[in-house]
Amino acid sequence: DAGVIQSPRHEVTEMGQEVTLRCKPISGHNSLFWYRQTMMRGLELLIYFNNNVPIDDSGMPEDRFSAKMPNASFSTLKIQPSEPRDSAVYFCASSLVNNEQFFGPGTRLTVL
Amino acid sequence: AQSVTQLDSQVPVFEEAPVELRCNYSSSVSVYLFWYVQYPNQGLQLLLKYLSGSTLVKGINGFEAEFNKSQTSFHLRKPSVHISDTAEYFCAVSESDMRFGAGTRLTVKP
């Protein structure tokens, strides 16, 4: 198994632009998580899905952030419009419910 | 809701010395407990996990952790560290979802 796949690995964009981060979970996993990691705030859970349904999006910082999971093998995290304070590493993880999470390599986002 | 406290943000230690990284949690129900390691510019990798059974859990790279229900702790230990153990270590607790601690940066010096 290739593990959790995230793309792109690096993204540099200008303030105000739309950013879309992509994630392919491990086949057979039924939970998917989006995290943001910064030096100041550490690792933050943004949103998670069970069986493609969003369960808890209380960690999504603002309406500029949205996440979708149209099927069991794909999820997106979109930021529109992006701001410099959104610069961070964004991780996707997948799991079977209540078991260990497998993390992707992350997307390093820089908003200028 | 569950929460996790990692008591030390940074732990410097010399090579071949023992190390303990502390983790306390709060939860109203039975939980699953995890330790993850993050090397620079990488994602998190599972070190070990406690789901049930023996309270002493052995993981990869010579690490182990002990679940102590009365003290609500899950401290991580290694008897002799290597330079390559330098990384960020995260404790996590899982009920309906998983909550991570703030992390402990372990720096192993020669």
Side-chain angles (χ1 to χ4, degrees):
Chain A
D1 199 319
V4 176
I5 299 172
Q6 291 187 247
S7 64
R9 292 294 310 276
H10 302 272
E11 177 81 27
V12 181
T13 190
E14 293 187 345
M15 182 174 61
Q17 297 297 306
E18 177 180 296
V19 174
T20 300
L21 310 181
R22 298 173 176 80
C23 175
K24 177 178 169 53
I26 292 173
S27 177
H29 284 188
N30 56 4
S31 296
L32 183 140
F33 306 79
W34 282 102
Y35 293 89
R36 178 173 67 176
Q37 187 177 40
T38 61
M39 289 292 291
M40 291 295 293
R41 300 173 70 91
L43 192 65
E44 303 172 276
L45 176 66
L46 301 177
I47 185 172
Y48 77 95
F49 297 82
N50 276 353
N51 297 315
N52 312 339
V53 176
I55 302 301
D56 183 357
D57 65 354
S58 59
M60 296 285 264
E62 319 175 13
D63 291 345
R64 299 183 296 106
F65 286 69
S66 63
K68 294 182 179 179
M69 192 165 186
N71 57 62
S73 59
F74 184 66
S75 177
T76 60
L77 177 68
K78 185 176 293 186
I79 309 172
Q80 166 63 18
S82 58
E83 297 182 2
R85 61 195 168 116
D86 302 330
S87 297
V89 181
Y90 291 81
F91 289 104
C92 176
S94 70
S95 78
L96 294 175
V97 177
N98 281 343
N99 213 321
E100 68 177 279
Q101 293 184 16
F102 292 79
F103 281 74
T107 295
R108 182 174 296 276
L109 173 65
T110 302
V111 183
L112 302 174
Chain B
Q2 72 272 34
S3 66
V4 180
T5 302
Q6 291 184 242
L7 297 164
D8 306 296
S9 60
Q10 297 188 54
V11 173
V13 64
F14 286 105
E15 192 174 19
E16 297 184 5
V19 70
E20 178 180 82
L21 306 184
R22 297 180 292 168
C23 172
N24 287 89
Y25 69 94
S26 65
S27 173
S28 57
V29 299
S30 296
V31 296
Y32 302 138
L33 295 159
F34 305 82
W35 274 99
Y36 284 82
V37 60
Q38 184 180 30
Y39 299 104
N41 299 314
Q42 294 187 27
L44 279 69
Q45 304 171 33
L46 182 72
L47 267 181
L48 48 80
K49 60 184 177 184
Y50 171 80
L51 303 181
S52 65
S54 173
T55 58
L56 183 63
V57 180
K58 293 189 182 297
I60 63 171
N61 300 341
F63 284 92
E64 64 180 32
E66 185 157 20
F67 169 57
N68 188 318
K69 188 174 182 179
S70 62
Q71 297 186 7
T72 60
S73 68
F74 191 55
H75 301 333
L76 181 70
R77 302 186 184 99
K78 185 169 182 177
S80 176
V81 294
H82 302 291
I83 297 288
S84 59
D85 292 323
T86 295
E88 188 93 15
Y89 292 79
F90 292 91
C91 182
V93 59
S94 176
E95 286 182 15
S96 55
D97 60 1
M98 185 175 287
R99 300 292 170 175
F100 286 84
T104 297
R105 181 169 298 279
L106 174 65
T107 303
V108 181
K109 299 179 287 186

